[in-house]
């Protein structure tokens, strides 16, 4: 049995706990102070605590579903103590200090940090393309206005008054990941798989006509070229987060349970 602990108890965590595959079980959650009752209400019969050191048993896998602050607060401690960590907070690695802390903790604890593919796909092709030369990658993220509430887009646009698509960010994937911690983890995953945080271009768009969370990758290089486009449905609990993100976590749990891996 793979014993899983979660960080966070929001839309992604609740979906993961509710659909945990056979052979794995969610036994514990790390939450913020005073949030134990809310965590149990969202996840069911789990032990709730505030720190990795308080986990009742050592989990086989800790899954961060909490966002950048959750990874920052608990990731290094978990890895340092040898606990494998899977995270959806990929954009947090845009902070070079946190990336270095995580790398140090991985080396010292001998555990692995896995970055979930999240709301995007085609990371395998990007990884391979990056082994060739001259890789150029642009990521475009397009969501309906509700998907940008609570983000920097609100400072740039009047989201509720939009009559057509508007770009509210254009720059590097590193800037996108840092400025949009809840919305640009995909930009970070594309960057880390491919051309890197500073060479990957990101464009973020609010579009009242968007029927879902649209993510597009355009890549070209010595390998050739590809375009990838996915129209994701949002999770019921959070219009910012695509359902595929929670499914990518479930897929990684299944991958770990299987002797034949893809
Ligand atoms: N890789 C990808 O493709 C994607 C990544 N994401 C990332 O996943 C994150 C979570 O998404 P989602 O579940 O929809 O968000 P929600 O807002 O629904 O849930 C976030 C949860 O994390 C908890 N939390 C926040 N900070 C901490 C902390 N320091 N320690 C412990 N728990 C904490 C919150 O607790 P409380 O209720 O107390 O605030 C809440 O339970 C997003 O913020 C985003 O960064 C999202 C979509 C795609
Ligand atoms: O879920 C999505 O569609 C993408 C997202 O929020 C992110 O990249 O952080």
């Amino acid at each position: 049995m793979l014993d899983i602990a979660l960080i966070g108890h929001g839309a992604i965590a609740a979906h993961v706990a509710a659909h945990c595959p056979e052979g794995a079980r969610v036994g514990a959650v790390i939450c913020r102070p005073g949030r134990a009752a809310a965590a149990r209400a969202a996840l069911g019969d789990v032990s709730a605590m505030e720190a990795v050191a308080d986990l009742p048993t050592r989990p086989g896998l800790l899954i961060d579903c909490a966002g950048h602050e959750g990874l920052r607060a608990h990731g290094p401690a978990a890895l340092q103590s040898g606990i494998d960590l899977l995270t959806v907070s990929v954009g947090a690695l845009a902070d070079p200090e946190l990336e270095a802390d995580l790398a140090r903790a991985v080396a010292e604890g001998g555990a692995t940090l896995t970055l979930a593919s999240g709301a995007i796909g085609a990371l395998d092709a990007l990884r391979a393309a990056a082994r060739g030369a001259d890789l150029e990658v642009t990521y475009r993220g397009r969501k309906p206005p509700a998907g940008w509430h609570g983000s920097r887009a609100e400072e740039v646009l009047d989201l509720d008054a939009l009559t057509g698509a508007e770009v509210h960010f254009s720059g590097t994937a590193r800037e996108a990941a840092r400025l949009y911690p809840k919305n640009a983890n995909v930009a970070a995953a594309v960057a880390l798989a491919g051309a890197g945080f500073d060479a990957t271009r990101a464009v973020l768009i609010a579009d009242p006509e968007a029927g879902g969370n649209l993510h597009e990758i355009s890549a070209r290089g010595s390998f050739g070229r590809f375009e990838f486009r996915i129209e994701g449905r949002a999770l019921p609990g959070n219009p910012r987060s695509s359902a595929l993100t929670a499914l990518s976590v479930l897929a990684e749990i299944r991958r770990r349970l299987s002797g034949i891996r893809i």
Side-chain angles (χ1 to χ4, degrees), residues 115 122-131 135 187-196:
L115 310 179
L123 301 181
D124 53 349
L126 269 180
R127 258 200 314 268
R131 297 302 102 217
L135 184 60
V190 167
L192 285 166

Side-chain angles (χ1 to χ4, degrees), residues 108-195:
E108 286 173 10
T112 56
L113 172 60
T114 303
L115 310 179
S117 55
I120 192 76
L123 301 181
D124 53 349
L126 269 180
R127 258 200 314 268
R131 297 302 102 217
D134 305 326
L135 184 60
E136 287 175 28
V137 184
T138 299
Y139 159 75
R140 279 184 200 80
R142 183 185 296 260
K143 293 183 184 181
W148 297 108
H149 278 301
S151 84
R152 174 185 177 272
E154 288 183 321
E155 294 161 29
V156 182
L157 300 173
D158 182 353
L159 288 172
D160 295 325
L162 285 186
T163 53
E166 294 275 358
V167 172
H168 51 86
F169 175 85
S170 178
T172 66
R174 189 182 299 280
E175 284 175 278
R178 292 175 83 153
L179 292 172
Y180 294 79
K182 297 179 178 174
N183 287 87
N185 292 283
V186 164
V190 167
L192 285 166

Side-chain angles (χ1 to χ4, degrees), residues 9-12 32 35 65-66 88 118-119 181-182 185-186 238 241 245:
H9 46 95
I12 295 171
R32 296 201 278 202
R35 299 291 287 153
C65 304
V88 299
K182 297 179 178 174
N185 292 283
V186 164
N238 189 349
S241 295
T245 311

Side-chain angles (χ1 to χ4, degrees), residues 66-131:
H68 294 198
E69 286 316 309
L71 179 63
R72 190 181 294 282
H74 305 293
L79 292 164
Q80 184 113 37
S81 63
I83 298 172
D84 282 353
L85 177 62
L86 168 64
T87 184
V88 299
S89 310
V90 185
L93 277 76
D95 172 359
E97 267 182 47
L98 180 61
E99 189 180 22
D101 284 351
L102 292 166
R104 202 175 308 115
V106 162
E108 286 173 10
T112 56
L113 172 60
T114 303
L115 310 179
S117 55
I120 192 76
L123 301 181
D124 53 349
L126 269 180
R127 258 200 314 268
R131 297 302 102 217

